[in-house]
C-alpha cells in the first residue's frame, strides 16, 4: 500500500484547510450561540464546490473520490465539526443516487446537488430505534403506479434544509420488504417537524420528518423495489460512517493543536506545563491516536476509491476514531485546567461535539458487532 498522497490530493488538502480557516472560522461562534445552520456557511461550501467532490464529472461534480472527501471533512472538522457533519450528510443523500439511481434520477438531481442548490440527506432512523432499521414503522402501500407513504423519522441531519431526501419505508403488505424513495420537500404530505437542540455540533440541523399520505410515483424509487435496505445500508455503511470518521479525525487534530498551544503557553513552577511528564503523556496519547485514526481512515477510503466494499474497515475506523476523539477532547479539557471549563476556550466545544460523534451513523456497540461478525466470518 502506498501511503503517499497524490499531488492533486495534497493541493486539495491545502485548499480545504485554507477554505476552512478563512471562510468558516468567522461563523463558528454564531453557530454555537444560535444552534442553527448558517446560510453563509452553506453558501461558502457551495462556492468552494465541497458538495461536488464525490459526484461524477458527467453530472457536474468534481469526481475526486472518497479519499478527497475524507481530506476535506478532516480539514473542515478541524475548524467546525458541525459544518463537516452537515457536509458529510449531503454526501449521504447523494450516494444512493450515484450508486443506485437510474439515468433520469441522476440527470434530474445530481447537477443541482453538485452546485449546492439542491441540498440532501438520507433518513432511516425512527423513534423505534436506529440500531435496528428493520423495526421502523414508516410504511408504503401501492396505489396504481403510485405509492402512499405514512410514518415518521427522527434525528435526521439536514432535515429542515434538505430539498431532496432519500427515505426508507417498509411495505404495508410485506414487512420484510423495504424500499427507498426520493422525496422532495414541497411534496404534499411531507413535513420537517421538530428541530432538535443538541449539546454539540450546534451549527448543524437535526430534526424529525413526518409523512402523511405522501403520494409518490414509481419514478421516485431508488434501486429496486423491495431492496431498499441494501440501498440505505450501502450509503450509511461506507459514506455515512466514512463521513463520521472524517469528522472525528479533524476533531482529534483540533484537540491536539489546542492542547499543544496551551501547554506551551501555560507557565507553572516557572516553566511551561508542556515540560511536565503527565502533560506530555496526554499529548503523546493524542498524537498516537490521531496517527492510528488517520491510517484507519485512509485505508478504508483507499479501498472505497478502488470500488471495493469497505464497510468492515469503516466500522473499525468509526469505532476507533470516534472513541479516540472523545478521549482526546477530555484530555484537551484536562490539560486546560480550570480554563477548560470556560466557553471562550474551544476545547469546551470539542468535548460537546465529540459526544455527538458517537451515535451518528451507528453506535460503538453496533460497530463492535460488525467487526465481530467480520472476524468470525
Ligand atoms: C447528531 C445525529 C445525527 C444523525 N443523523 C442521522 C441521519 O441523517 N439519518 C439517519 O437516518 N439517522 C441519523 N441519526 C441517527 C443515528 O443513526 C442513531 O441515533 C443511531 O443509529 C442509534 O440509534 P438510536 O439513537 O435509536 O439508539 P438505539 O438504537 O435505541 O440504541 C440505544 C442503545 O442500545 C445500544 N444497542 C442497540 N442495539 C444493540 C445491540 N444489538 N447490542 C448491544 N447494544 C445495542 C446502542 O449502542 C445504544 O447504546 C443521527 C443521530 C445523531 C445523534
Amino acid at each position: 500500500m502506498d501511503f503517499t498522497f497524490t499531488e492533486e490530493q495534497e493541493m486539495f488538502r491545502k485548499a480545504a484547510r485554507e477554505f476552512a480557516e478563512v471562510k468558516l472560522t468567522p461563523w463558528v461562534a454564531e453557530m454555537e450561540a444560535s444552534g442553527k445552520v448558517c446560510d453563509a456557511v452553506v453558501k461558502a461550501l457551495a462556492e468552494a464546490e465541497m458538495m461536488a467532490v464525490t459526484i461524477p464529472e458527467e453530472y457536474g461534480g468534481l469526481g475526486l473520490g472518497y479519499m478527497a472527501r475524507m481530506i476535506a471533512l478532516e480539514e473542515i472538522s478541524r475548524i467546525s465539526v458541525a459544518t463537516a457533519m452537515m457536509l458529510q450528510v449531503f454526501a449521504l443523500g447523494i450516494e444512493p443516487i450515484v450508486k443506485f439511481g437510474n439515468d433520469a434520477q441522476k440527470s434530474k438531481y445530481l447537477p443541482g446537488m453538485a452546485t449546492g442548490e439542491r441540498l440532501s440527506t438520507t433518513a432511516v432512523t425512527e423513534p423505534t430505534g436506529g440500531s435496528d432499521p428493520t423495526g421502523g414503522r414508516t410504511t408504503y402501500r401501492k396505489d396504481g403506479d403510485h405509492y402512499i407513504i405514512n410514518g415518521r423519522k427522527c434525528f435526521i441531519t439536514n432535515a429542515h434544509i434538505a430539498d431532496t431526501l432519500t427515505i426508507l419505508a417498509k411495505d404495508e403488505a410485506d414487512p420484510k420488504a423495504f424500499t427507498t424513495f426520493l422525496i422532495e420537500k414541497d411534496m404534499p404530505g411531507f413535513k420537517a417537524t421538530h428541530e432538535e437542540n443538541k449539546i454539540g455540533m450546534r451549527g448543524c440541523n437535526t430534526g424529525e420528518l413526518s409523512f402523511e399520505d405522501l403520494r409518490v410515483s414509481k419514478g421516485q424509487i431508488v434501486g429496486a423495489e423491495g431492496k431498499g435496505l441494501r440501498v440505505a445500508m450501502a450509503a450509511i455503511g461506507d459514506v455515512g460512517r466514512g463521513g463520521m470518521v472524517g469528522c472525528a479525525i479533524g476533531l482529534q487534530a483540533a484537540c491536539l493543536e489546542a492542547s499543544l498551544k496551551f501547554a506551551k503557553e501555560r507557565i507553572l513552577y516557572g516553566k511551561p506545563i508542556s515540560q511536565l511528564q503527565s502533560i506530555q503523556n496526554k499529548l503523546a496519547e493524542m498524537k498516537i491516536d490521531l496517527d492510528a485514526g488517520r491510517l484507519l481512515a485512509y485505508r478504508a477510503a483507499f479501498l472505497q476509491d478502488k470500488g471495493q466494499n469497505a464497510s468492515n474497515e469503516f466500522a473499525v475506523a468509526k469505532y476507533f476514531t470516534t472513541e479516540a476523539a472523545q478521549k482526546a477532547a477530555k484530555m484537551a479539557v484536562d490539560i486546560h485546567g480550570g480554563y477548560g471549563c470556560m466557553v471562550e476556550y474551544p476545547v469546551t466545544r470539542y468535548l460537546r461535539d465529540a459526544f455527538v460523534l458517537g451515535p451518528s451513523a451507528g453506535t460503538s456497540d453496533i460497530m463492535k458487532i460488525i467487526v465481530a461478525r467480520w472476524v468470525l466470518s
Side-chain angles (χ1 to χ4, degrees):
M1 186 186 272
D2 182 358
F3 288 102
T4 324
F5 285 119
T6 63
E7 204 177 316
E8 188 185 46
Q9 286 166 337
E10 290 290 7
M11 276 167 57
F12 186 68
R13 182 185 290 281
K14 206 164 155 245
R17 176 166 290 218
E18 197 179 309
F19 162 77
E21 287 177 350
V22 175
K23 301 283 184 180
L24 301 181
T25 306
W27 301 105
V28 170
E30 186 183 313
M31 287 191 277
E32 278 302 291
S34 71
K36 303 261 180 211
V37 172
C38 180
D39 291 344
V41 166
V42 178
K43 191 164 170 256
L45 287 171
E47 280 170 2
E49 297 185 278
M50 287 296 170
M51 287 83 150
V53 173
T54 56
I55 297 179
E57 284 174 283
E58 60 183 305
Y59 296 106
L62 295 174
L64 290 177
Y66 298 100
M67 187 68 85
R69 173 182 185 238
M70 186 65 76
I71 291 169
L73 289 174
E74 183 183 346
E75 293 303 331
I76 288 170
S77 182
R78 183 177 154 265
I79 301 298
S80 167
V81 186
T83 305
M85 177 69 172
M86 171 168 64
L87 180 63
Q88 97 90 346
V89 178
F90 290 149
L92 187 53
I94 288 165
E95 187 75 1
I97 303 174
V98 171
K99 286 276 154 67
F100 297 94
N102 56 37
D103 288 346
Q105 290 166 340
K106 287 180 183 172
S107 306
K108 179 173 177 188
Y109 291 111
L110 293 179
M113 288 176 171
T115 58
E117 283 160 281
R118 192 187 275 276
L119 305 179
S120 57
T121 188
T122 286
V124 172
T125 306
E126 300 196 12
T128 46
S131 304
D132 174 18
T134 61
R137 292 191 187 146
T138 297
T139 59
Y140 64 88
R141 67 170 191 276
K142 275 192 189 169
D143 180 24
D145 257 359
H146 286 74
Y147 296 79
I148 312 289
I149 302 171
N150 279 288
R152 236 175 103 197
K153 299 280 173 189
C154 69
F155 302 153
I156 305 306
T157 307
N158 301 334
H160 294 76
I161 62 168
D163 303 284
T164 305
L165 309 92
T166 304
I167 67 151
L168 183 70
K170 73 165 78 154
D171 189 345
E172 223 176 72
D174 175 7
K176 288 210 169 106
F178 287 81
T179 298
T180 37
F181 295 93
L182 282 167
I183 303 300
E184 293 182 28
K185 69 171 180 195
D186 48 10
M187 287 178 166
F190 169 75
K191 233 190 242 164
T193 52
H194 173 67
E195 194 169 352
E196 302 291 351
N197 185 11
K198 301 190 297 301
I199 56 159
M201 292 191 196
R202 290 183 53 74
C204 143
N205 163 255
T206 313
E208 293 191 9
L209 307 173
S210 135
F211 319 107
E212 269 183 48
D213 290 332
L214 169 61
R215 193 164 189 269
V216 296
S217 70
K218 206 173 177 174
Q220 297 305 107
I221 291 177
V222 203
E225 185 181 343
K227 305 279 181 216
L229 263 182
R230 190 173 156 243
V231 176
M233 289 304 130
I236 290 173
D238 284 10
V239 175
R241 279 174 205 143
M244 296 318 299
V245 171
C247 293
I249 54 177
L251 183 54
Q252 284 179 262
C255 289
L256 178 57
E257 282 176 42
S259 300
L260 280 170
K261 181 172 182 298
F262 186 87
K264 285 180 189 169
E265 287 170 5
R266 176 69 169 160
I267 307 292
L268 287 182
Y269 321 107
K271 57 188 184 194
I273 61 168
S274 58
Q275 291 185 24
L276 300 173
Q277 196 175 32
S278 89
I279 300 287
Q280 289 180 358
N281 282 342
K282 289 189 179 74
L283 295 172
E285 266 188 69
M286 288 160 94
K287 168 69 175 157
I288 292 164
D289 282 355
L290 175 59
D291 278 9
R294 279 186 171 139
L295 291 176
L296 290 173
Y298 301 151
R299 172 180 74 161
F302 172 82
L303 292 174
Q304 198 179 15
D305 271 338
K306 287 207 318 181
Q308 293 183 15
N309 185 325
S311 299
N312 292 329
E313 286 80 1
F314 273 124
V316 173
K318 206 268 173 182
Y319 175 86
F320 184 86
T321 58
T322 56
E323 294 284 334
Q326 291 174 14
K327 193 172 130 198
K330 182 179 181 302
M331 285 194 284
V333 166
D334 288 344
I335 287 171
H336 281 66
Y339 296 102
C341 307
M342 307 302 156
V343 288
E344 53 270 43
Y345 283 81
V347 289
T348 58
R349 169 165 58 90
Y350 300 161
L351 189 65
R352 288 183 291 101
D353 286 349
F355 281 96
V356 187
L357 294 170
S360 314
T363 66
S364 284
D365 291 321
I366 298 300
M367 294 311 107
K368 282 201 246 177
I369 290 171
I370 296 169
V371 177
R373 218 181 275 148
W374 188 24
V375 292
L376 288 167
S377 65

